[in-house]
Amino acid sequence: MKLLLVGSGGREHALAWALAASPLCDTLYCAPGNAGIAQLAECVPIAAEDIGGLVRFATENAIDFVVVGPEAPLVAGLVDALDAAGIKSFGPRRAAAALEGSKGFMKDFCARHNIPTAAYGRFTDIAAARAFVTAQGAPIVVKADGLAAGKGVVVAMSEQEALDAIDMMMADKAFGSAGAELVIEEFMQGEEASFFALSDGVTAIPFGNAQDHKRVGDGDTGPNTGGMGAYSPAPIVNKAMAERIMAEIIRPTVAGMKAEGTPFTGVLYAGLMITETGPRLIEYNARFGDPECQVLMMRLKSDILPALMATGEGRLDRYDPIWHDSAALCVVMASNGYPGSYKKGTEIRGLDALADNTRLVVFHAGTARDDAGRLLANGGRVLGVTALGADLAVAQKNAYDAIAQIDWPEGFCRQDIGWRALASLKKGN
Ligand code: AMP
Ligand code: GLY
């Protein structure tokens, strides 16, 4: 088969790694890809948001199946455009990707279908938003409605912080049109976990779980990032909890989307708060997480391609993925300064000595090669050093042992990825 993968981050390198290993894959293209993906796929310089360019490429090259990594093209209607051109793909259509693309849509949908999530209000008027915060008090959570690259959420511990967040999003338009509408919601207490399910529009199956570290600093301190590391499985999502998540959140969502005429096909990524009363939805994403995808792909024993094709073709009722018993852990290496401003073009050495194998893979998130073939950092998050181990502690050691061999003075990583899970496993929880 001829495949086209869309995207250029660590998530897409992990998908490329899994797709390239499929016996069904003859040719793998990636648009636009990165230096790591280029070792596995033929990279073509088409932006992930260039819907017309992607459909044209897929048509001209007789692509059999397109796998869409990031949210922006999904929300912009790439899958709809591919469908119209008769090209099969993995990912939700635009109307279903609204579960991620509009927080207001997601909250109203959950209310219509009794899916447990935080109580909320939707606001397009700044005075009404302020009045709601004053009436509810803190802690309270202020969110821009639209896509804001993971930065459109302020968890306000004081009323003033919440009022400032409203001003930043609505008056100062910090996130542009994404902040024209706000969702303001109840603060939920508990432990967070990411849960993944494949949905073909009718049938949903669990597809792994993970936890990530969003803060830039050790001990989960400092500003939020796209994710500084992740591990799978998440100890808090035991078998009973996974079944509750499927029964109370995932299946009602898939049934509700179908009933409303916008069936969800693709991967549903539920960001959850595991509270005292059970799992509650923080947010939905319509794609794999990054760096969660990196740990999921290393744990997946089955061929990924039949799973993605069954999702796109409504055949998930006959699919049962097999996972390695091992744990996986990914540590992200980022450019010094991230998530603030950082330098591009610094050289990374030492990766060649880390011959990739099935237990250790250095996924590239933001890399490029210069004319001399040197590997350069080309983004904020740059590498995702991902290791398997018999348990989380071993996976963590394997990842950090590999990092010790990477020579990149202009980069950094957190030293404690996995700490919460390791602490709770030690306590025997
Ligand atoms: P989101 O972009 O919606 O995933 O939110 C980013 C982060 O904000 C989440 O990972 C949570 O840590 C936090 N958060 C979002 N909504 C809530 C909420 N209602 N209660 C507590 N924390 C929240
Ligand atoms: N790691 C968080 C995300 O992909 O949204």
Side-chain angles (χ1 to χ4, degrees):
M1 288 179 69
K2 281 170 99 172
L3 309 177
L4 171 64
L5 171 65
V6 176
S8 62
R11 165 183 48 216
E12 286 75 27
H13 189 180
L15 289 170
W17 179 78
L19 288 169
S22 170
L24 300 170
C25 171
D26 300 310
T27 313
L28 178 61
Y29 295 100
C30 185
N34 64 37
I37 295 170
Q39 294 162 3
L40 301 163
E42 184 177 328
C43 293
V44 290
I46 306 171
E49 296 79 24
D50 179 1
I51 309 275
L54 292 167
V55 174
R56 210 170 311 125
F57 179 86
T59 308
E60 283 168 5
N61 291 279
I63 297 296
D64 297 301
F65 195 66
V66 180
V67 177
V68 188
E71 63 275 21
L74 295 170
V75 171
L78 174 57
V79 169
D80 309 60
L82 289 167
D83 280 354
I87 299 161
K88 289 182 179 168
S89 63
F90 174 80
R93 286 174 161 230
R94 186 162 65 130
L99 279 178
E100 171 165 9
S102 165
K103 293 196 192 307
F105 170 82
M106 183 280 266
K107 298 297 289 191
D108 288 352
F109 174 85
C110 287
R112 287 196 293 278
H113 298 281
N114 287 319
I115 294 162
T117 181
Y120 70 107
R122 290 178 76 167
F123 302 92
T124 48
D125 176 65
I126 194 162
R130 291 176 135 265
F132 184 77
V133 162
T134 311
Q136 299 289 320
I140 194 160
V141 183
V142 179
K143 303 185 172 185
D145 179 76
L147 294 181
K151 294 181 188 123
V153 174
V154 173
V155 179
M157 285 303 157
S158 71
E159 216 175 288
Q160 191 55 49
E161 228 183 302
L163 296 173
D164 290 347
I166 294 172
D167 286 346
M168 181 237 327
M169 293 182 197
M170 282 191 138
D172 306 340
K173 301 192 168 59
F175 306 116
S177 61
E181 177 170 343
L182 302 186
V183 167
I184 304 183
E185 65 180 40
E186 170 201 359
F187 173 78
M188 298 186 288
Q189 205 128 31
E191 185 173 334
E192 284 181 51
S194 304
F195 189 90
F196 298 86
L198 295 178
S199 164
D200 64 12
V202 177
T203 303
I205 62 163
F207 203 64
N209 58 73
Q211 283 176 305
D212 73 339
H213 293 268
K214 289 202 171 70
R215 303 295 188 111
V216 74
D218 284 8
D220 294 318
T221 56
N224 261 324
T225 70
M228 295 300 293
Y231 48 88
S232 173
I236 195 164
V237 185
N238 56 26
K239 228 175 155 187
M241 182 57 69
E243 188 36 53
R244 275 193 77 172
I245 294 165
M246 287 301 292
E248 295 170 28
I249 297 180
I250 302 293
R251 285 193 208 108
T253 298
V254 171
M257 291 298 280
K258 178 171 178 276
E260 294 191 6
T262 52
F264 187 96
T265 56
V267 58
L268 255 183
Y269 157 9
L272 301 169
M273 192 70 85
I274 310 298
T275 70
E276 273 178 358
T277 57
R280 297 176 77 195
L281 185 66
I282 300 173
E283 62 158 0
Y284 263 134
N285 296 301
R287 51 166 175 88
F288 283 109
D290 187 346
E292 290 91 332
C293 188
Q294 289 82 317
V295 288
L296 290 187
M297 289 308 115
M298 283 197 71
R299 286 197 59 227
L300 183 65
K301 203 169 177 177
S302 305
D303 185 350
I304 180 85
L305 187 51
L308 303 186
M309 290 178 60
T311 302
E313 294 170 358
R315 293 185 284 105
L316 271 180
D317 54 339
R318 276 167 281 159
Y319 184 76
D320 192 12
I322 301 167
W323 301 89
H324 291 289
D325 287 332
S326 325
L329 184 136
C330 172
V331 180
V332 169
M333 297 189 78
S335 298
N336 288 340
Y338 175 80
S341 59
Y342 52 82
K343 244 186 9 210
K344 279 191 182 179
T346 56
E347 187 177 357
I348 303 163
R349 295 191 194 86
L351 290 196
D352 294 342
L354 294 170
D356 286 352
N357 57 58
T358 51
R359 303 196 72 77
L360 176 82
V361 184
V362 179
F363 292 116
H364 294 216
T367 60
R369 278 191 200 278
D370 66 9
D371 294 340
R374 292 182 309 171
L375 187 67
L376 307 179
N378 190 36
R381 292 192 295 170
V382 174
L383 301 173
V385 181
T386 312
L388 283 179
D391 59 26
L392 265 183
V394 177
Q396 185 193 50
K397 180 176 184 309
N398 292 345
Y400 281 108
D401 282 353
I403 283 177
Q405 298 184 56
I406 296 175
D407 177 13
W408 181 34
E410 294 85 4
F412 75 100
C413 66
R414 278 183 56 165
Q415 301 298 327
D416 64 346
I417 298 303
W419 72 268
R420 195 185 302 276
L422 289 170
S424 82
L425 289 171
K426 220 174 258 168
K427 272 198 313 210
N429 293 334

